[in-house]
Amino acid sequence: MDTTNTSMKTVIISNRLPVKIIEKDNEYTFIPSEGGLATGLGDVYKSGNSIWIGWPGIDVPENRQEEVIQKLGELNLYPVFLTQEEINLYYEGFSNEILWPVFHYLVTYAHYEQNYWDFYQSVNQKFAKCAMQVLGRTDKIWIQDYQLLLLPGILREKMPSATIGFFQHIPFPSYEIFRLIPWREELLNGLIGADLIGFHTYDDVRHFISTATRLLPVNSSSNVLHSHERQIVIEAFPMGIDYEKFSSLVSTEEVKREIGYFKEGKENVKIILSIDRLDYSKGILERLKALELLLQMHPEFIGKIELFMIVVPSRDTVPQYSDLREQIDQFVGNLNARYRSMDWIPVNYFYRSFPIEVLSALYSSADICLVTPMRDGMNLVSKEYIASRNNDDGVLILSEMAGASKELTDALVVNPNNLGDIMEAIVSALKMPLEEQQLRMKAMRAVVEKYNVKHWVNNFILRLNEVKDSQKSLLTKHAVNNINEVIAAKYANTKSRVLFLDYDGTLVDFTGNIDDASPDDELYDLIENLVLDKANTVVIISGRQHETLERWFGHLQVDLIAEHGAWQKSHGDKWHSLPLLTDQWKSEIKALLDTYTDRTPGSFIEEKSYSLVWHYRKAEEGLGDLRANEIVSHMKILAADKGLQLMPGNKIIEFKNMEVNKGKAALNWLYGKHPDFIIALGDDHTDEDIFRALPSDAFTVKVGNNLSEAKYYLNDFKEVRKLLWSLVKEEFIDRS
C-alpha cells in the first residue's frame, strides 16, 4: 500500500472491517457485511483516497498475514490482527462486559476486571500502531465507537496537529453512571484527543459534557470543551440509513415473492413485527409480557393478531445472554401453549438471522413495528421499517429510550418499562384509521429520507473540517512563538513602555481560597527584573482590595490600581480613591447576597471599599453556576437603578460603582503620558474593558482561549510568565 501519497485521505478506524473473511479450501475470500456502518461509509472507503482500518474478524496465522494485507489493500482496507486472547479480554471483556452494560445503564452486569483494562489499553495501542503505518500528515481520521475510546488520545500524542473525529454509536450515560468505572479519567482523556466527538442525540452530548467537566480539568462553553490549547466540539449527529435501498427493495421480484408467501392465509390477521439482536438492552421480555397482558385484557384480539419476533443470535456463550435466551424461549413456549388454536399462534419466534430480502418482505407486510429497547443509541430497525412503507401505511411503536424517538416524533412513543403503556399503544395502533397512519408515516418518511446515512457522513466530515479551521484561526492568535517574536521585536525598539498586568488568573493561578494566591518568589523576581529597565513602567491592575495590593507589592517600583480602578497609587506616592464614589448601596445589596450565600454551601461574600464580590469557586460544580445565573437575573435591574455595574467573572459576580472600570482607570493612568509600547494582559470579563479602551497599536492578550476583544491569547499564567521573561531576556541581550 502506498503510504507516501501526500494527498489528503480519510482514514476510518473501527473495531471490525466492513467485510467478513471466509476461509474455504485454504483460500481467503471477502464478502461485504450488511451492517449500517459498512453501508453508510461504503462510498467513503471505496472511493480512491480513503482507507478503513479494523479487525478482519478471524485469527489469521502469522505466515498468512502479509497475503491478507495485500488482498485487503486492493479494497482500501487495512487489517489489525488480534489474537484470540485479545478478542476475549479487550472486546468480549472490557468493551462488552464493562462499557456496554454501563453505557446502557445496566451497571449490575458490569465486571471491572483489571486484566480487561490492561488488554483494552494494549489493543488500542495496537490499533494506533497499525494506523501509523498508513497515516499521512494531513489525513482526516474518523474513529468509530466504544471499543476504541483511548485511540484518539494515543494518536493525538503521536500526531499533535492531526484532524481526529470520533463517533459513538451507543448511548453515553449520565455522570452518575459513568463515574462508577474505575478507569473513568483515562477513558475521557483518550476521548478528548479528538477534535470533534459525535453522538446520536443531544442528551448524550449533555451527559458527556457534564461528565468531562466534572472529572477532568476542562471548561465548557455551550457544546465546546476547552482543554489546554485545544477546543473540542461535542455534537449530535443522528445516524440515518440507506433510505433508497430499503424503499426500492420492496418492488424487486424476489421481495414480492417473499411477500406473497408471507401473506398467504393471513388475510384477516394483523401482523406485529419485532427484530432485535439478542441483548438485555433490547427489552424483548417486556415486549412479550405486554403482548400477554394484551391477550388477557383484550380477548377480542385472540386469533386476530400475530407477533413475528426475530431475535438475531449474539454472544450466547456469555451467561447473561444464554439466560436471557432461555427466558425468552420459555416465555414464548408458555404463551403459545396457553393461547394457540389449531390454525393460529400468537408468537412466531425465530432465533436466527435472515437475508435482507426476507426482512424487506416483513417490513413491508407488517401492520405494526414494535421497537421497545430499554436503551438504544439510535435503533435503525425503526428507520428501515419506515423506509419500506411505500404506501405510507403502518404504525411504528417506539421506545422513548431509543435515540430514534427524538427524530421520529410521529411514532407512538412508549416507556419500555411500562407494560400497560406498550399494551395501550398496540391497541391504539390496531384501531388507528388509515388517514392517521398515513399522516404520521408521511412525516416520518420525510425525516428518514432527508436525514439518510449519506447526510450523516457528510455532516460529520463537514463539521470536522469546520472545527479544525476554527482551531487553526485560534492558533494564529496564540501569543507564543511567532507572535512572541513580534512583541519582543517591538519591545526591543521602544524607549517608553507600559505593562498593564492583571493579577488573579494572569500572573498567578486561581486557588480555592482567595487568601492563598499571594505572590511567589519567581513572580517577585520577574517583576523586579522588568522594573530594572528604566524604560518600563509596570502597572498591576486588579480587582483586589488596595490594602492587599499594598501588602504584596507596595515595596516594589510598580504602580498599583486596585478594585478595578476605585483606588490608584503611583510608585512612591500614596493611595487615592476616585472622587464622588459612594458605598451607601452596599448594605442593601449585601443583605440580598446573604440570602444566596445561605443557600449555596461553599460560597462567600468579599467586601471591598466600593464593591461587593460573591465568590462560588468552592461551591458544588453546577450549583454555583445556577445560583450565579439567579443572582444576575434577579439583581440586574436593581443594580442598574443604583448606578452599579454587575460583572460576572471567573467563578465570581462583582457589584461595583458604574464609574469604576479597568478601561477608564487605564486611560486615566495614560492621560498626559505617551508610551511607545503598551501591553495589557488579563483573563477576566473586567479586563475586556482595558482591551477595548487601549489604542489600536497596543498589544492586548487574553488569558484563556474563549472569545475576547483581545488580539491574542495565552492559555494560562505559566505562558504569561514565559512571555514576560522572554521580554526581560530580550533586554539583557540588547544591553550586552
Side-chain angles (χ1 to χ4, degrees):
M1 191 173 299
D2 178 22
T3 52
T4 55
N5 184 359
T6 50
S7 73
M8 188 169 79
K9 60 184 182 294
T10 304
V11 178
I12 300 160
I13 311 178
S14 66
N15 173 56
R16 282 294 296 267
L17 283 173
V19 294
K20 293 193 184 91
I21 295 197
I22 292 173
E23 188 182 1
K24 202 175 174 190
D25 307 329
N26 212 16
E27 185 68 32
Y28 287 132
T29 51
F30 304 104
I31 55 166
S33 69
E34 290 290 353
L37 192 60
T39 318
L41 292 166
D43 288 358
V44 181
Y45 83 88
K46 286 173 188 156
S47 71
N49 59 344
S50 171
I51 290 177
W52 189 321
I53 298 171
W55 177 52
I58 60 168
D59 198 348
V60 179
E62 225 166 286
N63 60 346
R64 302 200 56 187
Q65 290 182 355
E66 202 45 54
E67 167 198 347
V68 172
I69 291 176
Q70 289 299 324
K71 282 189 172 166
L72 286 172
E74 292 159 24
L75 303 169
N76 292 343
L77 303 173
Y78 189 87
V80 178
F81 297 112
L82 299 177
T83 64
Q84 195 51 54
E85 185 181 28
E86 286 172 328
I87 283 298
N88 292 349
L89 297 169
Y90 134 84
Y91 178 69
E92 298 294 354
F94 198 86
S95 300
N96 289 332
E97 288 192 31
I98 297 177
L99 297 178
W100 180 272
V102 171
F103 284 17
H104 286 88
Y105 289 73
L106 287 148
V107 291
T108 46
Y109 286 176
H111 301 297
Y112 306 114
E113 304 282 345
Q114 180 62 38
N115 65 340
Y116 287 177
W117 169 242
D118 297 339
F119 271 82
Y120 188 77
Q121 288 175 285
S122 64
V123 171
N124 270 260
Q125 290 283 359
K126 197 177 210 181
F127 268 84
K129 211 166 161 182
C130 289
M132 295 307 286
Q133 302 291 314
V134 297
L135 274 173
R137 214 168 40 84
T138 57
D139 292 349
K140 275 201 285 283
I141 303 163
W142 189 4
I143 299 164
Q144 309 286 338
D145 228 6
Y146 63 104
Q147 301 92 348
L148 301 173
L149 297 178
L150 299 175
L151 188 55
I154 300 169
L155 290 176
R156 173 69 56 207
E157 272 183 19
K158 296 180 189 292
M159 304 171 74
S161 59
T163 304
I164 304 176
F166 178 90
F167 189 86
Q168 176 150 309
H169 294 267
I170 65 173
F172 193 89
S174 69
Y175 162 68
E176 281 303 328
I177 299 282
F178 186 85
R179 73 195 284 205
L180 300 170
I181 300 174
W183 308 277
R184 57 209 188 172
E185 281 95 352
E186 293 89 327
L187 291 170
L188 289 175
N189 276 320
L191 258 178
I192 63 168
D195 299 300
L196 174 63
I197 300 174
F199 297 103
H200 285 301
T201 69
Y202 178 67
D203 278 347
D204 297 320
V205 170
R206 226 165 30 91
H207 290 324
F208 180 79
I209 290 171
S210 87
T211 301
T213 49
R214 280 171 165 75
L215 290 172
L216 299 180
V218 298
N219 300 321
S220 73
S221 47
S222 60
N223 65 331
V224 181
L225 291 183
H226 304 278
S227 166
H228 305 306
E229 64 275 19
R230 283 178 51 250
Q231 291 190 327
I232 300 118
V233 175
I234 324 295
E235 286 263 16
F237 300 92
M239 187 176 177
I241 58 163
D242 185 344
Y243 178 89
E244 287 307 314
K245 177 170 119 183
F246 281 93
S247 180
S248 55
L249 259 173
V250 180
S251 45
T252 60
E253 285 310 313
E254 202 173 339
V255 173
K256 279 184 178 157
R257 258 202 317 279
E258 290 290 346
I259 294 172
Y261 300 145
F262 183 62
K263 284 198 161 160
E264 211 174 312
K266 299 212 185 298
E267 288 75 15
N268 304 320
V269 177
K270 293 265 188 174
I271 302 294
I272 304 170
L273 175 65
S274 121
I275 303 178
D276 300 278
R277 193 170 61 74
L278 178 72
D279 195 274
Y280 46 68
S281 67
K282 302 296 183 190
I284 300 170
L285 274 171
E286 286 70 17
R287 206 172 304 164
L288 287 165
K289 287 176 185 166
L291 180 72
E292 178 183 44
L293 189 63
L294 176 80
L295 298 174
Q296 283 167 6
M297 309 287 287
H298 295 275
E300 68 272 21
F301 289 119
I302 292 176
K304 302 280 192 301
I305 58 172
E306 284 187 24
L307 172 65
F308 272 72
M309 188 168 85
I310 295 174
V311 176
V312 178
S314 160
R315 312 181 62 221
D316 41 17
T317 51
V318 177
Q320 277 119 352
Y321 287 75
S322 52
D323 290 353
L324 176 63
R325 190 193 157 183
E326 265 169 46
Q327 286 174 288
I328 295 170
D329 289 353
Q330 227 168 357
F331 199 100
V332 172
N334 287 341
L335 189 67
N336 280 342
R338 279 209 312 285
Y339 284 99
R340 70 185 306 166
S341 61
M342 289 303 166
D343 54 358
W344 176 77
I345 181 171
V347 184
N348 296 271
Y349 166 48
F350 305 90
Y351 183 68
R352 58 192 177 96
S353 54
F354 283 94
I356 194 160
E357 291 74 20
V358 177
L359 295 182
S360 174
L362 286 169
Y363 281 141
S364 60
S365 312
D367 302 281
I368 297 169
C369 185
L370 193 52
V371 181
T372 57
M374 293 300 168
R375 283 279 161 189
D376 212 334
M378 174 45 71
N379 188 286
L380 298 178
V381 165
S382 56
K383 294 187 173 186
E384 290 169 3
Y385 175 69
I386 288 168
S388 310
R389 306 302 298 180
N390 290 344
N391 299 331
D392 296 331
D393 59 352
V395 183
L396 171 64
I397 298 174
L398 182 59
S399 159
E400 65 185 40
M401 306 294 180
S405 68
K406 305 284 186 281
E407 294 171 276
L408 305 176
T409 48
D410 287 283
L412 298 182
V413 177
V414 297
N415 173 346
N417 296 298
N418 184 336
L419 303 183
D421 203 6
I422 301 174
M423 180 195 78
E424 294 297 336
I426 299 173
V427 173
S428 302
L430 290 166
K431 294 180 173 170
M432 190 183 289
L434 185 61
E435 300 80 81
E436 188 186 341
Q437 291 181 30
Q438 290 179 329
L439 205 67
R440 289 169 176 269
M441 191 54 77
K442 274 188 180 136
M444 292 194 287
R445 278 172 70 83
V447 169
V448 176
E449 183 172 19
K450 180 177 177 187
Y451 297 98
N452 60 24
V453 71
K454 289 210 176 68
H455 183 92
W456 174 75
V457 172
N458 295 341
N459 257 0
F460 190 93
I461 297 288
L462 203 70
R463 193 73 182 94
L464 184 56
N465 295 340
E466 281 172 15
V467 170
K468 210 61 201 177
D469 288 344
S470 80
Q471 281 185 1
K472 281 182 187 142
S473 73
L474 253 181
L475 278 180
T476 59
K477 296 177 71 173
H478 191 190
V480 293
N481 309 337
N482 306 358
I483 293 161
N484 196 341
E485 285 165 26
V486 175
I487 296 175
K490 183 160 181 195
Y491 181 95
N493 293 320
T494 45
K495 295 286 167 276
S496 164
R497 313 185 195 105
V498 56
L499 297 87
F500 288 109
L501 307 177
D502 170 51
Y503 184 71
D504 290 281
T506 303
L507 293 175
V508 295
D509 202 2
F510 282 105
T511 56
N513 191 340
I514 57 168
D515 304 327
D516 288 350
S518 54
D520 51 276
D521 292 345
E522 191 218 0
L523 181 59
Y524 281 135
D525 192 19
L526 172 60
I527 293 172
E528 280 164 5
N529 268 294
L530 281 168
V531 296
L532 263 180
D533 184 342
K534 294 292 167 265
N536 289 347
T537 308
V538 171
V539 183
I540 292 177
I541 181 164
S542 164
R544 291 264 182 178
Q545 298 181 12
H546 67 285
E547 296 90 345
T548 310
L549 290 189
E550 180 61 43
R551 195 168 68 244
W552 287 347
F553 299 110
H555 62 293
L556 296 177
Q557 290 186 339
V558 295
D559 288 11
L560 300 173
I561 298 177
E563 297 184 31
H564 306 300
W567 292 88
Q568 302 201 5
K569 175 194 178 195
S570 297
H571 165 62
D573 199 356
K574 57 183 203 308
W575 284 97
H576 301 282
S577 70
L578 277 179
L580 304 174
L581 278 187
T582 146
D583 61 357
Q584 308 288 294
W585 53 270
K586 274 166 56 180
S587 55
E588 187 183 340
I589 297 284
K590 185 167 187 304
L592 276 171
L593 284 179
D594 279 332
T595 64
Y596 286 98
T597 307
D598 293 343
R599 290 191 290 136
T600 318
S603 68
F604 62 93
I605 298 169
E606 178 192 8
E607 188 168 342
K608 304 177 186 176
S609 39
Y610 297 109
S611 68
L612 286 172
V613 192
W614 189 75
H615 289 262
Y616 59 94
R617 178 161 300 282
K618 290 173 161 175
E620 188 189 342
E621 176 77 49
L623 176 65
D625 297 314
L626 178 75
R627 286 285 182 266
N629 289 337
E630 280 179 31
I631 291 175
V632 171
S633 59
H634 290 172
M635 298 178 70
K636 202 187 231 156
I637 293 167
L638 174 71
D641 286 350
K642 295 193 171 301
L644 302 174
Q645 198 176 6
L646 185 160
M647 306 279 289
N650 198 318
K651 302 284 185 206
I652 60 161
I653 290 184
E654 184 148 7
F655 292 81
K656 60 188 177 60
N657 288 59
M658 203 67 97
E659 307 83 75
V660 176
N661 156 328
K662 281 187 177 180
K664 285 183 186 167
L667 287 182
N668 195 5
W669 187 93
L670 284 167
Y671 185 74
K673 304 185 177 77
H674 301 285
D676 49 8
F677 175 95
I678 302 176
I679 188 168
L681 295 108
D683 72 305
D684 206 331
H685 203 64
T686 57
D687 299 302
E688 295 297 321
D689 293 331
I690 306 189
F691 301 153
R692 270 193 289 271
L694 289 179
S696 59
D697 60 348
F699 292 103
T700 52
V701 184
K702 170 85 169 184
V703 183
N705 57 8
N706 26 11
L707 279 175
S708 168
E709 297 278 341
K711 292 181 188 149
Y712 307 112
Y713 81 91
L714 289 168
N715 282 310
D716 52 27
F717 78 100
K718 296 187 193 119
E719 288 191 358
V720 170
R721 292 191 184 188
K722 210 161 138 189
L723 172 77
L724 294 173
W725 274 119
S726 74
L727 299 181
V728 171
K729 295 200 173 72
E730 194 71 35
E731 195 48 42
F732 283 139
I733 294 163
D734 223 45
R735 276 184 293 192
S736 52

